[in-house]
Amino acid sequence: MAVTIDLSGKRALVTGGNRGIGRTIAERLAEAGADVAVFARNEQSVAEAAAALSGRGVRGLALVGDVGSDADVERAWDTLMKEFGQLDILVNNAGITRDGLLLRMKPEDWHAVLDVNLTGAFRWCRLAAKQMLRQKSGTIINISSIVGVIGNPGQTNYAASKAGLIGFSKSLAVEVAARGITVNVIAPGFIETEMTHALGEHAQAEFVSRIPLGKLGTTGDVADLAVFLASPMSDYITGQVICVDGGLTR
Ligand code: NDP
């Protein structure tokens, strides 16, 4: 029996949905029938991503802004509610790195990573949870990293933001569970995107040698799990961290 996931009638928002992992998540949610809003800073690629979603026969909505700005998130939220009227699926995917060993880490690099990766998700979740509690339904998917589970030298700021996102999500999951809202975390390993290309070939080869399945993951590997977590098939799963990492974390 073929299993199909039907998200038609659902309204989703993906932060950082204009490229990389977020873009593939937005596309796969749209393929499953959901209307999808994309929120990120680069106006041109946000518009292009939203237009591509609309080309799939669902509604794509471009929302330009910085997850590090309360005002940008609030403005985007108002537009989202005006255009979509509800939010069923929130994917907090926007993220940055500012790597460096702790002793050399500039305070601004610490604060920037925490503000985008962790506080950015807080900004969106606070607004979304209020709406979902009113709707008595909804699902939140936060994109962390295996680095938030196992740590990584040179990434104390990134690891702290991603570990923080896990604690945040587990706590929120319990706060909203009584209204049927689920909150889960995806922790990707090494996925082929601009973020990992920036590591260079040598570092990439070294990482691959440590992955039991022997290859980098694709954005589709992460997006397939996001679609499952956004669907009624995962209604009884909440407060979980699921690693998509080729067996690296176990
Ligand atoms: P990319 O660097 O390819 O994309 C990052 C996305 O986040 C872009 O869409 C970018 O859009 C958006 N973004 C960054 N800063 C902001 C901001 N301040 N406000 C709004 N949007 C922002 O990253 P990936 O696709 O590789 O990663 C996506 C997520 O997955 C991140 O959270 C990352 O930490 C996580 N992850 C990635 C892994 C990997 O191997 N690639 C492994 C583990 C986790 P714009 O620049 O236009 O704002």
Side-chain angles (χ1 to χ4, degrees):
M1 188 181 76
V3 178
T4 49
I5 292 179
D6 181 8
L7 298 177
S8 48
K10 301 287 183 193
R11 309 278 156 83
L13 179 131
V14 183
T15 68
N18 52 338
R19 61 185 157 90
I21 292 171
R23 172 94 183 231
T24 308
I25 293 174
E27 285 167 358
R28 300 240 166 136
L29 290 171
E31 270 168 33
D35 292 332
V36 184
V38 169
F39 176 86
R41 294 165 302 174
N42 185 301
E43 196 170 347
Q44 195 183 331
S45 60
V46 167
E48 196 256 318
L53 295 171
S54 296
R56 291 171 186 267
V58 299
R59 228 177 128 200
L61 178 65
L63 297 171
V64 178
D66 185 335
V67 294
S69 157
D70 290 330
D72 282 10
V73 172
E74 278 159 25
R75 197 177 316 115
W77 175 261
D78 290 344
T79 308
L80 180 76
M81 283 300 105
K82 209 169 101 212
E83 298 294 327
F84 279 3
Q86 68 191 63
L87 184 66
D88 306 292
I89 302 156
L90 170 65
V91 183
N92 284 300
N93 160 83
I96 57 167
T97 51
R98 295 274 188 280
D99 296 351
L101 295 171
L102 179 70
L103 296 188
R104 288 195 213 125
M105 186 170 290
K106 296 191 195 95
E108 58 263 36
D109 289 338
W110 171 269
H111 291 301
V113 169
L114 268 290
D115 197 42
V116 170
N117 297 4
L118 180 56
T119 315
F122 158 77
R123 291 185 178 95
W124 274 106
C125 282
R126 207 165 56 94
L127 295 164
K130 194 170 176 193
Q131 172 67 21
M132 289 175 178
L133 286 167
R134 222 180 276 135
Q135 290 170 193
K136 296 193 179 64
S137 67
T139 186
I140 295 174
I141 300 163
N142 290 328
I143 309 296
S144 175
S145 164
I146 58 162
V147 169
V149 180
I150 59 174
N152 197 28
Q155 292 197 306
T156 50
N157 51 357
Y158 184 75
S161 71
K162 295 300 190 179
L165 199 50
I166 291 172
F168 171 85
S169 305
K170 284 177 176 281
S171 306
L172 180 59
V174 181
E175 288 187 18
V176 297
R179 298 278 181 100
I181 300 158
T182 58
V183 184
N184 289 293
V185 176
I186 299 178
F190 296 104
I191 308 296
E192 273 195 277
T193 68
E194 283 174 37
M195 196 177 261
T196 39
H197 284 163
L199 294 170
E201 258 177 51
H202 181 73
Q204 272 197 31
E206 205 275 313
F207 284 134
V208 169
S209 71
R210 288 160 38 202
I211 300 171
L213 286 179
K215 57 182 180 182
L216 293 179
T218 66
T219 58
D221 293 328
V222 180
D224 285 343
L225 176 58
V227 171
F228 169 72
L229 290 174
S231 80
M233 291 175 83
S234 63
D235 270 0
Y236 199 56
I237 300 173
T238 197
Q240 300 304 307
V241 181
I242 305 173
C243 296
V244 180
D245 65 354
L248 200 55
T249 316
R250 61 207 179 271

